[in-house]
Every structure is written in structure tokens, then in C-alpha cells.
Amino acid sequence: MRDANTPAGSGGARGAPVGGSRPRALPTGGSALLAGIGLLAVAVLAGFVWWLVRYDLGGAHADVGGTPAPADAAATATTEHTSSTTQETTGVGEYVFDSATAPDVGTNCAAVSYGDVRDWLAEHPCDRVVRGLYETSAGGARALVSVVVVTMPDERRAAELRALTDTTGAGNVSDMVRDGSAEIDDAPQVAGGQYASDVTGTDVTIVEAAFFDGHRDGTLLADVTDEALLLATELRGG
């Protein structure tokens, strides 16, 4: 029996799904063709994006886990070159000092000294002695420079040692050429050249320098020895 509120001829009481919804109509004709073209376009676009990720963007990371990029290699070479140069050459001011030989490090100062200085060090042993030998150029002339750093047990002994080495004719700590620790062709006798000294805490720095080939310029050589005192910082760290 038809409900009184249902319009005649509506067919609502026959074949209608629960809840009143209607079946979705399937695309036919032109609608089906357009849907197929749309699906094909989506598939092509997805394939193109996958190709970009796999071959184009992936190529940007080809060096990962392999040979480093050239820029990285150049940076490494520069770092290595700079390190090597720093070990061989020291610029502390106006002059550039090239290391003539490896520093000599020991604890027996008397064994590498002479004159009254040797006798004094035999009675008052040092804690450490580091001797360096350098070459530099000043006013177009080549100079050999000896730098010695003696570390004493206390500041009082350090001051006493400096006062003794400053005394003419009292001897000194030998430079490395004098005692045969280093061999340099035609090396001048630095003990007969210019002298400078300094004391910092328990460290006594002794510098002697002379020009090669008999060149003489006391004022210029004094500038070299004064600046060479700054090399003590390098030797103390060696």
C-alpha cells in the first residue's frame, strides 16, 4: 500500500536502496574516453618524475662514498703545503728565518757548553736545553743565526746564567756548528759575530749571529739578533 505522502508515479517503494541513495551511473561514450586519457597522463607524469630522481638528482651525489670532488682535493693539498712551509720557515718580524737543521734537545747543558759557563752549569744543572740554527738574509747578505733556550730550575738561577753568558770571555752554550752537531758549508763562527740575550721566567735565550763570506755590518746584524730572540717561543714548543 502506497504511503499517502508519496507522490503518485514516483516508484519510491520499488527497488529503492536503503537510506534513499541512488546507484552511481557508469561513464559511457565520451566520458569514458576522457577518463582514460586522464589516467594515461598521470602515469606518464609519474614516470618522468621518477626518471629525474633516479638519473638527474642522483648524479649530483655521485661522489658520495667515492673519489672526493676536485675542490676538496685542492683544499687538502693547500693545507698540507701550508703545514710543511710553517715547519721550515719562520717570519717573526722584518726577517724570515729558515731552519738550517732540526733543533737539538737535551738536559745536560754543561756537555754542550764551554768556558766558565760550562763549569757553572756543571754545578747548577739545567732542566732542559734546546738549540736551533737558522739562516736569514739581511741587506742582501746571508747570515747564520744560533738560538739557544736554556731552562733552569728557578728564576734566580736563570738570571745568574744570563749574567754569566753576557760577560765577555766567560764562554757560552755552544752553537751546533761549533760542537759538530750540524755541518754547514763555509759556516761563519757566530761566536765571533753579534750577541743578544734575554730571560723570561726560568728560560734564558741566547742568540749569536754572523754573516757568511766575511761580510760585516754590525748595526744590521744587531737588528737580526734582536729579532731572533723571538724564535725562543718556537723552540720552547719544540
Side-chain angles (χ1 to χ4, degrees), residues 32-74:
L33 178 60
L34 290 174
I37 293 174
L39 291 174
L40 179 61
V42 171
V44 171
L45 181 59
F48 179 69
V49 172
W50 178 89
W51 182 86
L52 283 177
V53 173
R54 175 65 180 83
Y55 293 100
D56 191 11
L57 297 179
H61 302 283
D63 287 330
V64 176
T67 303
D72 294 338

Side-chain angles (χ1 to χ4, degrees), residues 132-188:
L133 203 59
Y134 302 85
E135 289 188 26
T136 190
S137 179
R142 180 180 168 213
L144 183 65
V145 183
S146 168
V147 182
V148 177
V149 179
V150 179
T151 302
M152 298 301 296
D154 55 63
E155 295 184 6
R156 183 170 67 90
R157 294 300 186 197
E160 291 175 356
L161 174 60
R162 184 198 182 185
L164 183 58
T165 59
D166 284 353
T167 302
T168 302
N172 211 330
V173 179
S174 299
D175 64 87
M176 296 175 68
V177 173
R178 181 188 180 101
D179 69 1
S181 299
E183 294 184 5
I184 297 178
D185 292 341
D186 301 320

Side-chain angles (χ1 to χ4, degrees), residues 90-173:
T90 302
V92 293
E94 181 179 355
Y95 304 103
V96 174
F97 295 89
D98 297 316
S99 180
T101 187
D104 178 73
V105 183
T107 56
N108 190 342
C109 288
V112 293
S113 302
Y114 61 94
D116 295 339
V117 172
R118 177 188 57 203
D119 298 336
W120 188 89
L121 286 169
E123 295 180 4
H124 310 91
C126 69
D127 287 342
R128 186 172 184 252
V129 56
V130 185
R131 298 184 297 164
L133 203 59
Y134 302 85
E135 289 188 26
T136 190
S137 179
R142 180 180 168 213
L144 183 65
V145 183
S146 168
V147 182
V148 177
V149 179
V150 179
T151 302
M152 298 301 296
D154 55 63
E155 295 184 6
R156 183 170 67 90
R157 294 300 186 197
E160 291 175 356
L161 174 60
R162 184 198 182 185
L164 183 58
T165 59
D166 284 353
T167 302
T168 302
N172 211 330
V173 179

